[in-house]
Amino acid sequence: MDESAEFLVFGATGQQGGAVARALKAKGRKVRAFVRDPESRKAKALAAEGIALIVGDLFDADSINRAMAGIAGVFSVQTSSPAGEITDEQEVWQGKAIADSALRQGVRHLVYSSGGAAGKGPTGMGHFDSKSEIETYVRSLPIMSTITRPASFMEMMLLPGLGLPQGEFTFFMRPERSMQMIAVDDLGRINADILVAADRFDGKTIELAGASVTGRDLERAFTAAAGRVITYTRFSDDLLAQNPFLNRLTELLETGLLVGAADIPALAREFGPLMSIEEWLGGHGKPLFEAALTDGTADVALR
Ligand SMILES: NC(=O)c1ccc[n+]([C@@H]2O[C@H](COP(=O)([O-])OP(=O)(O)OC[C@H]3O[C@@H](n4cnc5c(N)ncnc54)[C@H](OP(=O)(O)O)[C@@H]3O)[C@@H](O)[C@H]2O)c1
């Protein structure tokens, strides 16, 4: 994309979109962020960094069309049902609405951020299967497109309720088993690289991860970063029996679907070094980890 190209980023007040918008800006590119509330703290922070705001709502197709005017490349991301704001059907509607609008408004290239479980057959989890449906739709349209499928974000491990303030950490994998993860900043940087080099990535589907870690790896890294012992255990059988959502995610990890399919060395060759858990804990993850250790209420999207 030439230097005058302008990029439209959805979800820019959130984790992924925020990282993509900032990475584009850091490359000296023109960025427009689609925001619901320009007066929110996160929207104001984007504006203060020189990112233009355009107000709209993903349920309002006209506002999406207005935001697309004059745009060369779009980063598309939607929230999903586990966040509690939308249904799986609404996620699909929003993902299709962005793609339709990009085509209608003559946008050159669309990057759709999907998820690591998508495109591998039905999962029985609505917020994964919704992404497979959006991927198929995007690919059916006569527009240049790239699909990125991020692994679980490292930031997810700092959500409350996973035991860190008590010196414990519980998560999905068995202690000796691994799963791929990615730091949100790496995700932002890679998607930004893809947006500016549209021709090179048109038609590609790219699984994204920066590290493959076991429960034991997390125990070691968290213990070193905390300066006190953090023990790792997988979610207990009792918890899984009571929580069908966590149980299904854990099953998908055990069957291999959620382990992650990214070729991390190939990604590093293409996009440069990716953060390990230790590097993330020493960088952007540090204040978030410290907050999670103290009271378990880290705002994982906070910059
Ligand atoms: N967490 C993981 O490990 C992981 C891994 C792979 C894929 N994913 C997928 O990532 C997606 C979520 O991405 P994220 O974590 O970056 O999201 P996030 O941090 O929750 O942010 C959501 C963004 O979407 C915006 N938004 C929500 N509803 C909107 C609407 N109606 N109109 C306009 N903007 C709206 C929010 O704006 P406001 O500021 O106005 O609320 C915010 O900017 C989900 O689909 C999830 O399944 C997650």
Side-chain angles (χ1 to χ4, degrees):
M1 293 280 190
D2 66 50
E3 292 297 321
S4 64
E6 189 166 358
F7 297 92
L8 176 63
V9 177
F10 288 89
T13 51
Q15 300 190 85
Q16 299 195 53
V20 174
R22 289 184 168 93
L24 284 167
K25 190 70 195 160
K27 287 173 165 293
R29 295 306 191 128
K30 277 167 76 178
V31 189
R32 196 182 291 175
F34 187 88
V35 299
R36 285 194 281 197
D37 176 7
E39 298 303 323
S40 74
R41 179 175 55 82
K42 289 177 183 175
K44 282 182 170 170
L46 291 168
E49 292 171 47
I51 292 168
L53 305 182
I54 179 107
V55 178
D57 192 296
L58 280 172
F59 285 121
D60 174 1
D62 289 340
S63 72
I64 299 175
N65 284 333
R66 281 194 297 277
M68 295 271 180
I71 288 295
V74 168
F75 178 74
S76 168
V77 66
Q78 296 75 48
T79 51
S80 57
S81 55
E85 224 185 310
I86 61 172
T87 63
D88 302 320
E89 291 72 24
Q90 287 172 323
E91 180 188 353
V92 172
W93 189 91
Q94 292 181 346
K96 290 182 175 179
I98 291 175
D100 284 338
S101 177
L103 178 64
R104 195 179 307 117
Q105 301 298 96
V107 167
R108 209 166 154 250
H109 180 226
L110 170 71
V111 175
Y112 168 55
S113 180
S114 176
K120 300 172 181 70
T123 63
M125 299 223 78
H127 72 296
F128 291 155
D129 296 342
S130 55
K131 292 176 173 61
S132 300
E133 191 176 342
I134 298 169
E135 285 192 7
T136 304
Y137 188 74
V138 165
R139 287 296 191 221
S140 76
L141 298 179
I143 184 171
M144 282 171 66
S145 62
T146 307
I147 290 166
T148 51
R149 291 183 182 153
S152 184
F153 310 156
M154 291 180 186
E155 284 76 358
M156 283 290 289
M157 296 189 291
L158 305 182
L159 289 173
L162 299 175
L164 283 173
Q166 294 79 43
E168 296 159 4
F169 181 64
T170 50
F171 211 51
F172 295 99
M173 64 281 227
R174 294 184 188 278
E176 312 298 342
R177 297 274 189 89
S178 65
M179 81 183 261
Q180 292 186 340
M181 297 187 187
I182 187 163
V184 168
D185 280 348
D186 277 339
L187 180 161
R189 188 169 58 78
I190 293 175
N191 280 290
D193 284 357
I194 292 170
L195 281 161
V196 300
D199 292 306
R200 188 138 61 92
F201 296 104
D202 175 32
K204 296 200 171 154
T205 298
I206 307 176
E207 307 272 349
L208 299 184
S212 180
V213 288
T214 65
R216 291 280 171 253
D217 293 334
L218 292 176
E219 190 168 86
R220 271 189 295 277
F222 285 174
T223 295
R228 60 184 163 90
V229 173
I230 308 281
T231 54
Y232 178 82
T233 48
R234 195 192 72 152
F235 292 133
S236 70
D237 290 340
D238 279 354
L239 174 68
L240 294 177
Q242 289 159 26
N243 188 322
F245 179 80
L246 285 185
N247 192 45
R248 182 70 190 136
L249 285 174
T250 306
E251 279 173 5
L252 290 174
L253 187 64
E254 303 255 317
T255 60
L257 190 103
L258 275 188
V259 168
D263 182 344
I264 297 172
L267 288 170
R269 281 194 298 277
E270 178 81 51
F271 299 104
L274 293 149
M275 267 181 268
S276 64
I277 290 286
E278 290 80 3
E279 287 163 333
W280 172 75
L281 282 169
H284 175 60
K286 189 176 166 66
L288 304 176
F289 180 68
E290 284 167 1
L293 274 180
T294 320
D295 60 7
T297 57
D299 179 348
V300 294
L302 182 65
R303 295 277 152 168

